[in-house]
Amino acid sequence: MNNQYVRREVFCGNTCHELKRFWEQEIGKQTYYRQSEEYRLGKSALRKLREGWRQRLEAKLRLQNSPDETKKRANVGREHLASLTQEDSKH
């Protein structure tokens, strides 16, 4: 009867270590895949493009919400256009 318990301990000892090693390898693989995916997404231009479009949209909304600033920009634009047309007429 004691011999039977020794065999189970030896069998369980090897099996337990194999199972532990197996799951540690699986966790290592998953960690590697997750890190490589995060790195790939970090290098992606899509995030940068979205950030640029978000900033443009916020600026546009800010201009719509403050009419004084919009008028100032329109006046500056008209003055610039007028100066360009005057230069063209001189040549």
Side-chain angles (χ1 to χ4, degrees):
M1 193 162 168
N2 288 337
N3 194 14
Q4 185 179 11
Y5 290 122
V6 171
R7 277 196 225 164
R8 284 187 182 170
E9 288 178 9
V10 170
F11 179 73
C12 181
N14 290 338
T15 305
C16 291
H17 290 297
E18 289 173 6
L19 284 172
K20 181 181 175 186
R21 187 171 4 128
F22 169 77
W23 285 113
E24 286 175 347
Q25 288 174 350
E26 289 298 311
I27 291 169
K29 288 177 189 176
Q30 290 298 318
T31 303
Y32 172 76
Y33 293 143
R34 183 181 48 82
Q35 289 173 345
S36 62
E37 183 67 11
E38 287 175 0
Y39 177 73
R40 185 186 68 80
L41 290 174
K43 289 181 62 177
S44 173
L46 184 59
R47 180 179 293 168
K48 294 173 189 170
L49 289 172
R50 285 183 178 162
E51 181 64 25
W53 281 107
R54 186 187 63 78
Q55 289 176 354
R56 289 179 186 170
L57 182 60
E58 286 177 355
K60 187 175 181 180
L61 291 174
R62 239 183 279 122
L63 287 175
Q64 287 178 353
N65 291 336
S66 60
D68 294 335
E69 200 171 313
T70 306
K71 289 178 186 176
K72 289 178 187 175
R73 287 183 181 258
N75 289 337
V76 169
R78 285 188 198 117
E79 291 171 1
H80 183 67
L81 182 61
S83 68
L84 290 175
T85 54
Q86 288 174 358
E87 289 177 7
D88 288 342
S89 63
K90 291 179 183 177
H91 294 289

